[in-house]
């Protein structure tokens, strides 16, 4: 069955929460773990609805049947002088790594950003996450800095790289 890519809908809330909790338990490379999202399906649906109603922000899902196997978000700054900027995040279930899902989701977000005159997309990535860094570089992102002690995981600090794509 082919992977389906589309904008997230409030009806995806339960499947998205399952996805987030699963990926959060599969790696320490994310800003959250499997227990970070103890929210209701209704609250997640409201969060998704905010994206679809914003006119600028975008949340995407990659579906294998009815299972969310990938999720990506483009969220714009709200302060007027920063409104040309957006942040990007992407997650893919470990079982689906290496299949181009993250690349496709990022390409879709970049295309959307271009269509609404976004000029800078940025992200933070754990500095020792070579796989993700390589993905972002293939998509055109460049390293612009290092944020020391960005993550604190089980009492241990980890740096993050700050990356951006100027459109």
């Amino acid at each position: 069955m082919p992977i389906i890519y589309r904008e997230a809908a409030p009806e995806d809330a339960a499947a998205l929460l399952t996805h987030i909790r699963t990926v959060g338990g599969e790696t320490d490379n994310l800003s959250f773990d499997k227990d970070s999202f103890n929210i209701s399906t209704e609250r997640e649906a409201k969060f998704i609805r905010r994206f679809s109603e914003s006119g600028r922000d975008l949340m995407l899902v990659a579906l294998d049947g009815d299972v969310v196997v990938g999720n990506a978000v483009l969220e714009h700054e709200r302060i007027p002088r920063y409104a040309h900027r957006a942040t990007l995040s992407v997650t893919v279930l470990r079982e689906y790594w290496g299949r181009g899902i993250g690349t496709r989701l990022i390409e879709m977000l970049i295309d959307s950003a271009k269509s609404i005159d976004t000029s800078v997309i940025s992200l933070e990535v754990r500095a020792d996450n070579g796989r993700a860094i390589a993905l972002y570089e293939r998509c055109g992102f460049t390293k612009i800095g290092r944020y020391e002690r960005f993550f604190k995981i089980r009492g241990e600090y980890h740096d993050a790289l700050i990356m951006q794509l100027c459109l």
Side-chain angles (χ1 to χ4, degrees):
M1 177 179 294
I3 302 297
I4 303 298
Y5 300 89
R6 64 168 171 76
E7 186 173 348
E11 298 76 30
D12 297 318
L16 264 168
L17 285 172
T18 297
H19 171 80
I20 291 166
R21 291 173 182 141
T22 302
V23 296
E26 291 180 329
T27 179
D28 280 336
N29 290 328
L30 302 172
S31 61
F32 57 89
D33 65 19
K34 65 182 176 63
D35 299 319
S36 295
F37 285 90
N38 294 318
I39 63 172
S40 68
T41 302
E42 293 77 22
R43 184 169 168 200
E44 180 69 5
K46 184 177 181 181
F47 182 71
I48 296 166
R49 192 172 295 108
R50 181 180 66 80
F51 273 84
S52 62
E53 293 172 353
S54 77
R56 291 181 47 99
D57 300 334
L58 182 61
M59 180 184 293
L60 301 173
V61 290
L63 298 161
D64 187 357
D66 60 354
V67 176
V68 174
V69 299
N71 173 234
V73 172
L74 185 71
E75 188 167 13
H76 288 80
E77 296 289 340
R78 302 291 182 246
I79 298 170
R81 290 186 176 185
Y82 300 163
H84 64 285
R85 300 181 355 204
T87 56
L88 178 145
S89 62
V90 62
T91 59
V92 176
L93 292 177
R94 181 184 296 271
E95 169 184 354
Y96 288 81
W97 288 3
R99 297 188 192 183
I101 294 168
T103 301
R104 181 68 187 123
L105 288 167
I106 292 169
E107 289 170 348
M108 291 173 71
L109 291 180
I110 291 170
D111 288 345
S112 173
K114 288 177 180 176
S115 75
I116 55 172
D117 295 325
T118 303
S119 58
V120 180
I121 302 173
S122 64
L123 59 89
E124 296 91 19
V125 58
R126 196 165 139 166
D128 59 356
N129 186 352
R131 186 180 188 99
I133 293 165
L135 165 65
Y136 298 134
E137 288 178 333
R138 281 192 310 273
C139 291
F141 286 81
T142 58
K143 300 170 192 166
I144 62 167
R146 185 180 200 94
Y147 192 124
E148 293 182 8
R149 297 182 176 203
F150 187 83
F151 297 95
K152 188 174 183 182
I153 302 167
R154 291 183 292 284
E156 185 178 333
Y157 290 105
H158 301 274
D159 295 354
L161 296 180
I162 303 164
M163 299 182 77
Q164 75 174 17
L165 173 65
C166 292
L167 303 173

